[in-house]
Short mmCIF file of all heavy atoms in Angstrom, two decimals:
data_model
loop_
_atom_site.label_atom_id
_atom_site.label_comp_id
_atom_site.label_asym_id
_atom_site.label_seq_id
_atom_site.Cartn_x
_atom_site.Cartn_y
_atom_site.Cartn_z
N VAL A 249 -25.42 12.48 12.69
CA VAL A 249 -24.34 12.23 13.64
C VAL A 249 -24.70 11.08 14.57
O VAL A 249 -25.85 10.93 14.97
CB VAL A 249 -24.00 13.50 14.45
CG1 VAL A 249 -23.48 14.59 13.54
CG2 VAL A 249 -25.22 13.99 15.22
N LYS A 250 -23.71 10.29 14.90
CA LYS A 250 -23.91 9.10 15.73
C LYS A 250 -23.73 9.40 17.21
O LYS A 250 -24.44 8.88 18.07
CB LYS A 250 -22.94 8.01 15.28
CG LYS A 250 -23.04 6.71 16.06
CD LYS A 250 -22.05 5.69 15.53
CE LYS A 250 -22.13 4.38 16.33
NZ LYS A 250 -21.13 3.38 15.83
N PHE A 251 -22.74 10.24 17.52
CA PHE A 251 -22.39 10.48 18.92
C PHE A 251 -22.94 11.79 19.48
O PHE A 251 -22.61 12.17 20.60
CB PHE A 251 -20.86 10.46 19.08
CG PHE A 251 -20.24 9.14 18.72
CD1 PHE A 251 -19.63 8.94 17.49
CD2 PHE A 251 -20.28 8.09 19.62
CE1 PHE A 251 -19.06 7.72 17.16
CE2 PHE A 251 -19.72 6.86 19.31
CZ PHE A 251 -19.11 6.68 18.07
N GLY A 252 -23.72 12.49 18.69
CA GLY A 252 -24.30 13.74 19.17
C GLY A 252 -23.23 14.76 19.53
O GLY A 252 -22.26 14.96 18.79
N LEU A 253 -23.40 15.38 20.68
CA LEU A 253 -22.45 16.38 21.15
C LEU A 253 -21.29 15.79 21.92
O LEU A 253 -20.34 16.51 22.26
CB LEU A 253 -23.17 17.42 22.02
CG LEU A 253 -24.21 18.31 21.32
CD1 LEU A 253 -24.91 19.20 22.33
CD2 LEU A 253 -23.56 19.15 20.22
N LYS A 254 -21.34 14.50 22.22
CA LYS A 254 -20.31 13.89 23.06
C LYS A 254 -18.93 13.93 22.39
O LYS A 254 -17.94 14.31 23.03
CB LYS A 254 -20.67 12.43 23.36
CG LYS A 254 -21.90 12.28 24.24
CD LYS A 254 -22.20 10.80 24.50
CE LYS A 254 -23.45 10.65 25.37
NZ LYS A 254 -23.78 9.22 25.60
N LEU A 255 -18.87 13.56 21.12
CA LEU A 255 -17.56 13.51 20.43
C LEU A 255 -16.97 14.91 20.25
O LEU A 255 -15.80 15.13 20.62
CB LEU A 255 -17.70 12.80 19.09
CG LEU A 255 -16.40 12.71 18.26
CD1 LEU A 255 -15.33 11.96 19.02
CD2 LEU A 255 -16.68 12.04 16.92
N PRO A 256 -17.71 15.89 19.70
CA PRO A 256 -17.10 17.22 19.56
C PRO A 256 -16.74 17.82 20.91
O PRO A 256 -15.74 18.54 21.02
CB PRO A 256 -18.18 18.04 18.84
CG PRO A 256 -19.44 17.27 19.01
CD PRO A 256 -19.05 15.83 19.07
N ALA A 257 -17.54 17.54 21.95
CA ALA A 257 -17.22 18.05 23.28
C ALA A 257 -15.92 17.44 23.80
O ALA A 257 -15.08 18.14 24.38
CB ALA A 257 -18.36 17.75 24.24
N MET A 258 -15.74 16.14 23.57
CA MET A 258 -14.52 15.47 24.01
C MET A 258 -13.30 16.00 23.26
O MET A 258 -12.26 16.28 23.87
CB MET A 258 -14.63 13.96 23.79
CG MET A 258 -13.45 13.16 24.31
SD MET A 258 -13.63 11.38 24.01
CE MET A 258 -13.50 11.33 22.21
N LEU A 259 -13.43 16.16 21.95
CA LEU A 259 -12.32 16.70 21.16
C LEU A 259 -12.01 18.14 21.56
O LEU A 259 -10.84 18.52 21.65
CB LEU A 259 -12.67 16.64 19.66
CG LEU A 259 -12.68 15.25 19.02
CD1 LEU A 259 -13.24 15.33 17.60
CD2 LEU A 259 -11.29 14.64 19.01
N ALA A 260 -13.05 18.92 21.80
CA ALA A 260 -12.85 20.32 22.21
C ALA A 260 -12.16 20.40 23.56
O ALA A 260 -11.27 21.23 23.76
CB ALA A 260 -14.19 21.04 22.25
N MET A 261 -12.55 19.52 24.48
CA MET A 261 -11.91 19.51 25.81
C MET A 261 -10.44 19.14 25.71
O MET A 261 -9.59 19.75 26.37
CB MET A 261 -12.66 18.54 26.73
CG MET A 261 -14.03 19.02 27.18
SD MET A 261 -14.92 17.77 28.14
CE MET A 261 -13.81 17.56 29.53
N PHE A 262 -10.14 18.15 24.87
CA PHE A 262 -8.75 17.73 24.70
C PHE A 262 -7.91 18.86 24.10
O PHE A 262 -6.81 19.16 24.59
CB PHE A 262 -8.68 16.49 23.80
CG PHE A 262 -7.28 16.04 23.48
CD1 PHE A 262 -6.50 15.40 24.45
CD2 PHE A 262 -6.73 16.25 22.22
CE1 PHE A 262 -5.21 14.99 24.17
CE2 PHE A 262 -5.45 15.85 21.93
CZ PHE A 262 -4.68 15.20 22.92
N GLN A 263 -8.42 19.49 23.05
CA GLN A 263 -7.68 20.57 22.40
C GLN A 263 -7.55 21.79 23.32
O GLN A 263 -6.52 22.47 23.32
CB GLN A 263 -8.38 20.97 21.09
CG GLN A 263 -8.49 19.86 20.06
CD GLN A 263 -7.15 19.27 19.68
OE1 GLN A 263 -6.14 19.98 19.64
NE2 GLN A 263 -7.12 17.97 19.40
N THR A 264 -8.59 22.06 24.11
CA THR A 264 -8.51 23.17 25.06
C THR A 264 -7.46 22.90 26.12
O THR A 264 -6.68 23.80 26.48
CB THR A 264 -9.89 23.40 25.73
OG1 THR A 264 -10.87 23.69 24.73
CG2 THR A 264 -9.82 24.55 26.72
#
Side-chain angles (χ1 to χ4, degrees):
V249 296
K250 180 179 179 181
F251 297 101
L253 294 175
K254 293 180 181 178
L255 179 59
M258 184 181 68
L259 289 172
M261 288 175 61
F262 176 74
Q263 300 302 326
T264 300

